[in-house]
Each structure stands twice: as structure tokens, then as C-alpha cells.
Amino acid sequence: MTQKLLVGTQAPDFALLDADGTKVSLSDYRGRNVIVYFYPKAATPGCTTEACDFRDNLASLQGKGYDVIGISPDGPEELAKFTGEFALTFPLLSDENHSVALAYGAWGEKLVDGEIVEGLVRSTVVLDGEGTVKLTQYQVSAQGHVQALKEELGV
């Protein structure tokens, strides 16, 4: 199992391609709070539920100063299709070699259909404007996650 990030520590910087093939870095968000969420696979039922919840709550999150970034092992092409199909209005980033998921503690063993497999663990990390970890949530459920996160953040 990978090491989870601890509250109060500096989050690892990253630079990944978005759905358009544009490089997006965590450092692009300096000065803003950012919610970085990791999801296993674009356009699957749970991931679609979670992404649409973030989309539907984006205005209230941004109104309280939180940007949202989604990260998955999908390639930019899959992300572009997912973004277009569900009118997602925040960046989805491609972590095909799962190095960022590993660095953030979002890659490891998980239970899928009664079997233990290695893969992306649905996780959320909230960072302040300096890139310091303010909140971590690992092995979250897609259903109701955004609402619970908003309550925890006071949004």
C-alpha cells in the first residue's frame, strides 16, 4: 500500500495532460484552494456520478474559493469523451502511469467484486493556496461524496 498524504504536509507537485492535451500543473493553482480527486475510470457508473456531482456543485465550491481537478489513469482521448458526454466544466487530468496517484496515496489494494486487486483508490485531497494538505479522504464512496465534502468544508 502506498503512503497516504498527511494533513499539514506539502502536496507533491505534478504536471499532467488534460482532455485537450494541455499540460496542467498543481503550481498553476497557487493562491487558490484546490480539491484534487482521484477516480478509477471515466464514464463508469460511480465515476460518472461523482464527476456530475462535482460539476453540479462547482459554482458553490468556487464561490467559497475551491477549484476542482479530477485525476484518473485514463488517457486524454477518454477524458475528452467523458468531459464532452457529461458537460464537465473542470479539468480532468491523465495520470496514465499512475505516478501522481502513487505520490498522493491513491493507488493500492482495493476490493472489487469480492477480489483484492491493485488499482486507483477513489480518494480526495484538499489543498490550500500554498499546496499544503488540509484534508484527505481515502476509499470514499462516489454516491454522496461531494455533499459530504461540502459539509466538511463548510460550503
Side-chain angles (χ1 to χ4, degrees):
M1 189 67 175
T2 57
Q3 187 69 39
K4 292 176 173 45
L5 292 182
L6 299 175
V7 171
T9 62
Q10 194 67 24
D13 200 2
F14 58 77
L16 297 170
L17 297 180
D18 69 8
D20 299 323
T22 303
K23 191 169 279 194
V24 175
S25 299
L26 179 60
S27 57
D28 297 341
Y29 288 84
R30 282 291 182 256
R32 299 269 306 162
N33 296 308
V34 63
I35 297 167
V36 180
Y37 84 97
F38 293 86
Y39 63 97
K41 180 106 180 88
T44 56
C47 296
T48 299
T49 295
E50 189 176 28
C52 290
D53 280 354
F54 272 116
R55 176 200 64 205
D56 296 346
N57 287 282
L58 192 61
S60 62
L61 289 166
Q62 288 178 330
K64 292 288 188 178
Y66 291 95
D67 288 327
V68 174
I69 300 171
I71 298 178
S72 76
D74 299 298
E77 314 75 35
E78 291 97 337
L79 297 179
K81 187 174 181 221
F82 189 37
T83 297
E85 192 172 335
F86 295 98
L88 302 177
T89 52
F90 54 88
L92 297 180
L93 306 182
S94 173
D95 184 24
E96 289 182 287
N97 66 3
H98 55 264
S99 61
V100 176
L102 275 167
Y104 276 68
W107 189 269
E109 288 185 349
K110 60 183 186 173
L111 194 61
V112 177
D113 298 326
E115 202 175 315
I116 295 176
V117 298
E118 187 174 297
L120 194 134
V121 177
R122 190 180 307 277
S123 307
T124 299
V125 178
V126 180
L127 309 173
D128 71 10
E130 302 304 312
T132 302
V133 177
K134 303 308 279 180
L135 175 71
T136 61
Q137 298 179 334
Y138 292 97
Q139 299 190 353
V140 300
S141 171
Q143 190 72 41
H145 172 59
V146 175
Q147 188 57 44
L149 181 63
K150 284 177 62 176
E151 289 169 15
E152 191 150 350
L153 295 174
V155 174

